[in-house]
Structures are given as C-alpha cells and as structure tokens.
Amino acid sequence: MSKYYLFQDRKRCIGCYSCTIACKSNKNLLTGPKPVDIIPIGPTFIDGTPRAAFVLMPCFHCEDPWCVAVCPTGAVQKRTKDGIVFVDHALCIGCKSCMSACPWGAPQWNPETGKVVKCDYCKDRLDAGLKPACATICTTHCLQFGEANETPDVRRERYAREMVGL
Ligand code: SF4
Ligand code: SF4
C-alpha cells in the first residue's frame, strides 16, 4: 500500500461535496470524472431513527494494483518512493482496462481527453509540501491525510471518551 492514509471521519461528514469539487478543480476536470467522490447511503429508518451516511471513495493505492497489472502501455504506475498509484496521461491510450480491473471504480473516464484519470493523492501538491486538495478543503475537517503511522486515532479516542462518559 501507499505509505499514506486518507481517513474520513464519517460522523463528521455532512455531504457537502467540497472534497469532490476541490479534487476536480485541482485536476482541471469539467463535467464527468470524479477521482474522489462522496457516495450517499440512505436516508433510511433504523429502529425508528432516520440514518444516512456519506462515504468517501478515493483510490486505495493497493499494494499489488490490478489497474497497474492490466494497463497495456504502462500508463498506470506505482511510485517507488511512496506507493502512490498514478496515471501517466502521455502513455494512456484510453482502452479502459484499468476501469474494468479496479473493484472499486476508482479510475474514471475523462471525455475531454479520451483518457482515464484517477486519484493520485495530488502527488504534485505532496511533492510541493502540501496536502491533497480534498483534505485541505474539507469543511468539517473530517478528512485527515498523513503518513499511516502518524495519523491521529480519532475512532479509538472517541470510543475511549464514550466508555468513560466524557
Ligand atoms: S485504481 Fe483500483 S486497483 Fe488501482 S490502486 Fe486504486 S483501488 Fe487499487
Ligand atoms: S468536504 Fe468533508 S464534509 Fe464535505 S463531503 Fe467531503 S468529506 Fe464530507
């Protein structure tokens, strides 16, 4: 896997789609592709209480990515230094093999270019010392990005607080 971890604290997500828009803006994407999207689930009633959730769907930057394995031109690549999986658009021929191979629909079709675009954790921003656009813009600060061994343990701390009633 990538050395990074993008964590969504779903209890804080309000479904404003700021992350999706910031991602598209950063990649100059018009209509269509959403490398990072929010999938609304519900609302539905559970024990008489209305429940809904907004689930972040980026790329998971797999250890052995199916998208990399199937790409016939080597356009989908995994960075050695940090495990980020990205598309070299100069090599993409638009065959859509990566779209078929990814179980989570992470590679997205860009009708403007006839090529695929996907979440690359905004690697250009990372290389400039910035965080990904989605994690920077999140209105409720529910998106946290960092190295996996440094990200705060939000859920563990919340559970601990609930345990002691504070
Ligand atoms: S596009 Fe899909 S298969 Fe490729 S690294 Fe991302 S989640 Fe894994
Ligand atoms: S910006 Fe944050 S709060 Fe808004 S939809 Fe995205 S993850 Fe949820």
Side-chain angles (χ1 to χ4, degrees):
M1 303 289 277
S2 139
K3 73 175 187 180
Y4 299 112
Y5 180 40
L6 177 60
F7 170 68
Q8 181 200 22
D9 184 358
R10 287 190 200 132
K11 284 188 182 293
R12 299 183 66 165
C13 180
I14 58 172
C16 69
Y17 292 90
S18 295
C19 50
T20 302
I21 295 166
C23 171
K24 286 173 69 70
S25 175
N26 187 57
K27 287 183 162 32
N28 294 315
L29 299 171
L30 300 177
T31 56
K34 299 175 187 170
V36 164
D37 200 5
I38 292 288
I39 309 298
I41 307 295
T44 187
F45 281 87
I46 298 177
D47 296 331
T49 303
R51 301 287 299 274
F54 302 98
V55 181
L56 181 84
M57 288 299 293
C59 164
F60 299 118
H61 300 273
C62 307
E63 181 64 28
D64 294 309
W66 290 274
C67 56
V68 172
V70 301
C71 180
T73 66
V76 194
Q77 303 170 24
K78 189 175 179 66
R79 291 215 299 195
T80 307
K81 69 175 181 177
D82 54 16
I84 288 178
V85 178
F86 70 100
V87 179
D88 181 342
H89 294 112
L91 298 177
C92 178
I93 56 172
C95 69
K96 308 183 185 68
S97 297
C98 56
M99 295 175 66
S100 300
C102 174
W104 300 283
Q108 298 272 302
W109 181 247
N110 185 355
E112 301 286 330
T113 61
K115 301 183 181 194
V116 159
V117 61
K118 66 178 286 301
C119 163
D120 58 7
Y121 281 161
C122 298
K123 62 182 176 55
D124 295 341
R125 289 174 60 91
L126 289 188
D127 292 343
L130 301 171
K131 291 189 175 183
C134 60
T136 302
I137 203 77
C138 178
T139 51
T140 63
H141 306 293
C142 70
L143 293 183
Q144 299 182 14
F145 180 86
E147 297 200 15
N149 57 348
E150 293 177 352
T151 45
D153 209 335
V154 173
R155 282 174 294 193
R156 183 179 277 184
E157 290 170 8
R158 178 179 293 142
Y159 179 69
R161 279 199 303 273
E162 290 172 357
M163 282 270 289
V164 298
L166 293 176

